[in-house]
Amino acid sequence: MASTHYSKHAQATLSLLWERVRQRGDMPGFAKAISAILGAMRGEDEHEFNMTRTVLSDPVLTNKVLKLANSGMYSAFGQRINTVSKAVLVLGTEAIGHLALGLRLIEELTNLSPDSTIAHVEMEKAVLAGIVAQQVAVEARVREPEEAVVCSMLHGLGRMMVTFYMPDRWAMLQKHGGVGSEDAAAPEVLGLTMEELGRATAEHWHLPGNVLAGMRVIEPADDSPAPLAAGDWLAAISTMSSTCAGALWADDEAGAARVLDITRRYSGLLGIEENTILGAIDKARAIAAVDLTIAPLAKPAEKRAKAAQTVRMRAEGNRILMSGVSDMRDSLPSASPGQMMTMALETVFQGLSFSRAFAFLRNRKERVYSAKMGFGEGSKELLAELTFEDIYEPNVFHAALNSDRVIFIENAKDPKFAAKLPAWWKKSLSDSRSFVILPLCSGGQPVGFIYGDWDESFPSIALSQTEFSLLNDIRALVVRAVERRQQSDAAAVSTRAA
């Protein structure tokens, strides 16, 4: 890359940077990923194919995309998605593109520098900036939000390059200007601004011109500015998102006040109402709290404690499920269907730490499903309300019964999922966040099902294959008891007829 327009001091800094890049390993794995993902997202006729090819080139991304596609939000009807091609159709290229960019940014750099906490901080701030930009762009109904995401993530590229490749220069910046004043000290210490260093890196990587233009810093005027043209608008939203990320990072009152000021100053430039931007930032903050790992915003120590507690709870829960299956097998020769149902309900309630669990039976004469027993707080009072007709309706319960497959709903509160939830559930059980349905079918016909849910107090959960296998064992044992009773009743009728 030609750098004759830089001072000798700046050229010396860039020469050192490129030398360090050669020594440590280039980051163009990330640079190439940006170009490939942008191309896949912006392709005309073959964008689904291009995105599939891009995803398949990265095993880590492939696993993450398939996991997302098979989460409760997207596979509500028990449809297992096994190919990236199908996942791309279900999720959409935009959602996968944003997932890919954040994943690549963190993993490309942390794999090369696993011990560099400072560099990791800058990487997560960049991801946070991209999350803010994506949410603001969605609220503003921008047609192509991916460029805003990419440019916002790259606004901190200069800081990432210095912390990652030149930690000695970063220490000099902090010594010269103090912690938090690295940008102000950069011209004197490095010979160029952080923005210029980031842009030089992007040029070195041969990133597209529209991305380079979007990496510019645009500061709003003190008066009320008019909305910007498209190119400047992209740079403005990227500047705002990157600045907001720095303010949100520490998760303190000063940062919250700064976010309000940033929103006020950029609202006119972007042509978006302040309340709209603030709402988008709130959504971004919630997403970041889940996705990031070391930001104070994400409460990492609390996450680790919860994760450890969840692991212990799940291990104990699996032991309960296995013991329950063993007890049910031992009891099968003599227990009635009702007794087996009671054992099954207790086992899943205890083993999965449900907030509530209910056993529903089908009454063929009255053509209804009704809850007959329940565990958990308030379950007894709810029994009378948990009744619905067995006539097929396009909702998640009938889907489970028709498919005869265990269905796990990870986020029942997702607005996109509301249409798949029946009115009786919304009336009585809508305070649950996640739930499981275990259909019980004999001879191809549903005879009932077991339902269990978790409220907001329970940590976010994803069932393992071991747990799915144990749940299938439990429902198979109940069904065998039902079938044995049906065979016994049929034999008794045959005997009386004879």
Side-chain angles (χ1 to χ4, degrees):
M1 182 202 73
S3 56
T4 54
H5 59 290
Y6 292 115
S7 68
K8 289 184 178 180
H9 188 181
Q11 289 186 42
T13 295
L14 292 174
S15 294
L16 176 63
L17 176 60
W18 308 145
E19 179 61 28
R20 296 276 178 88
V21 168
R22 282 190 291 272
Q23 291 173 352
R24 295 198 55 185
D26 207 348
M27 271 201 308
F30 176 53
K32 291 175 183 176
I34 293 173
S35 298
I37 292 163
L38 273 175
M41 294 168 82
R42 298 296 298 276
E44 295 299 329
D45 297 327
E46 297 184 343
H47 54 287
E48 286 91 359
F49 171 76
N50 291 334
M51 183 59 78
T52 298
R53 182 171 54 192
T54 301
V55 170
L56 287 173
S57 69
D58 184 337
V60 175
L61 181 57
T62 297
N63 290 336
K64 195 151 188 173
V65 165
L66 289 175
K67 181 179 178 182
L68 178 62
N70 282 289
S71 68
M73 184 184 303
Y74 293 98
S75 60
F77 293 104
Q79 178 187 28
R80 184 71 188 171
I81 296 174
N82 299 302
T83 66
V84 171
S85 301
K86 183 63 177 291
V88 170
L89 292 176
V90 171
L91 300 176
T93 55
E94 182 181 308
I96 292 179
H98 296 157
L99 174 68
L101 289 172
L103 182 67
R104 276 295 180 88
L105 177 59
I106 292 293
E107 293 191 352
E108 279 284 344
L109 302 187
T110 53
N111 285 343
L112 292 175
S113 183
D115 299 324
S116 178
T117 301
I118 296 174
H120 197 170
V121 166
E122 295 304 320
M123 296 166 210
E124 287 208 352
K125 285 182 180 178
V127 172
L128 177 54
I131 295 171
V132 171
Q134 196 269 341
Q135 291 301 314
V136 173
V138 166
E139 291 296 323
R141 294 181 172 83
V142 177
R143 186 174 180 183
E144 302 291 352
E146 62 271 8
E147 288 182 355
V149 175
V150 174
C151 294
S152 297
M153 294 173 78
L154 293 180
H155 250 261
L157 183 58
R159 293 172 64 90
M160 284 188 282
M161 295 298 288
V162 176
T163 55
F164 184 74
Y165 288 111
M166 299 192 292
D168 52 332
R169 293 299 191 273
W170 186 260
M172 290 171 63
L173 288 168
Q174 293 187 323
K175 183 177 180 180
H176 187 278
V179 176
S181 301
E182 298 87 5
D183 287 11
E188 185 169 346
V189 175
L190 304 176
L192 70 172
T193 65
M194 288 293 186
E195 178 188 355
E196 290 169 335
L197 195 149
R199 184 180 178 87
T201 302
E203 290 174 346
H204 187 71
W205 288 348
H206 305 293
L207 293 185
N210 57 336
V211 172
L212 289 171
M215 291 172 64
R216 289 176 296 129
V217 172
I218 290 189
E219 296 286 353
D222 292 333
D223 55 355
S224 298
L228 296 169
D232 290 338
W233 189 94
L234 181 62
I237 191 175
S238 302
T239 304
M240 186 207 73
S241 299
S242 180
T243 309
C244 274
L248 289 170
W249 175 263
D251 195 32
D252 56 17
E253 291 184 5
R258 194 168 171 225
V259 166
L260 290 174
D261 181 60
I262 294 167
T263 301
R264 176 187 60 78
R265 295 174 63 225
Y266 278 91
S267 174
L269 273 181
L270 298 175
I272 309 173
E273 293 290 333
E274 286 185 40
N275 288 339
T276 300
I277 297 177
L278 288 173
I281 291 173
D282 283 343
K283 292 179 182 178
R285 187 183 182 285
I287 294 169
V290 175
D291 290 351
L292 302 184
T293 58
I294 65 174
L297 167 68
K299 297 178 174 57
E302 186 178 309
K303 276 185 178 179
R304 287 193 295 272
K306 285 185 176 179
Q309 180 185 7
T310 300
V311 168
R312 290 192 296 270
M313 185 185 301
R314 298 290 288 280
E316 177 59 26
N318 283 349
R319 284 193 288 271
I320 292 172
L321 291 176
M322 287 186 280
S323 296
V325 169
S326 178
D327 288 346
M328 290 176 68
R329 284 201 180 103
D330 291 342
S331 303
L332 181 61
S334 59
S336 68
Q339 290 169 330
M340 291 292 285
M341 180 73 92
T342 301
M343 294 174 65
L345 187 63
E346 179 186 354
T347 297
V348 298
F349 177 71
Q350 298 288 352
L352 292 177
S353 300
F354 283 134
S355 301
R356 297 169 302 206
F358 298 95
F360 286 74
L361 293 179
R362 183 183 189 184
N363 186 319
R364 290 179 179 274
K365 291 182 178 180
E366 297 182 10
R367 304 203 64 178
V368 296
Y369 289 93
S370 300
K372 298 300 182 182
M373 62 184 81
F375 291 116
E377 186 175 352
S379 59
K380 184 177 181 180
E381 292 76 13
L382 284 172
L383 285 176
E385 301 178 27
L386 302 181
T387 299
F388 63 96
E389 294 183 356
D390 68 358
I391 300 172
Y392 177 81
E393 292 182 1
N395 64 55
V396 66
F397 287 87
H398 280 291
L401 292 165
N402 281 7
S403 66
D404 193 21
R405 294 181 61 179
V406 175
I407 285 185
F408 166 56
I409 304 302
E410 184 177 3
N411 182 13
K413 294 184 179 296
D414 185 341
K416 298 176 183 177
F417 191 66
K420 302 177 179 69
L421 294 167
W424 65 267
W425 184 93
K426 293 177 182 178
K427 178 183 176 183
S428 304
L429 302 172
S430 60
D431 55 340
S432 65
R433 185 194 62 212
S434 309
F435 63 83
V436 177
I437 305 170
L438 281 68
L440 306 170
C441 298
S442 172
Q445 292 295 317
V447 296
F449 63 93
I450 293 173
Y451 165 92
D453 62 27
W454 298 274
D455 60 23
E456 293 287 354
S457 66
F458 196 85
S460 181
I461 189 170
L463 295 183
S464 67
Q465 288 302 314
T466 298
E467 287 161 333
F468 272 110
S469 178
L470 289 167
L471 293 178
N472 279 317
D473 287 344
I474 289 169
R475 68 192 190 102
L477 288 165
V478 175
V479 168
R480 284 171 63 184
V482 170
E483 290 175 340
R484 191 186 62 211
R485 170 62 62 84
Q486 291 174 338
Q487 292 167 0
S488 175
D489 290 347
V493 170
S494 178
T495 300
R496 286 196 296 269

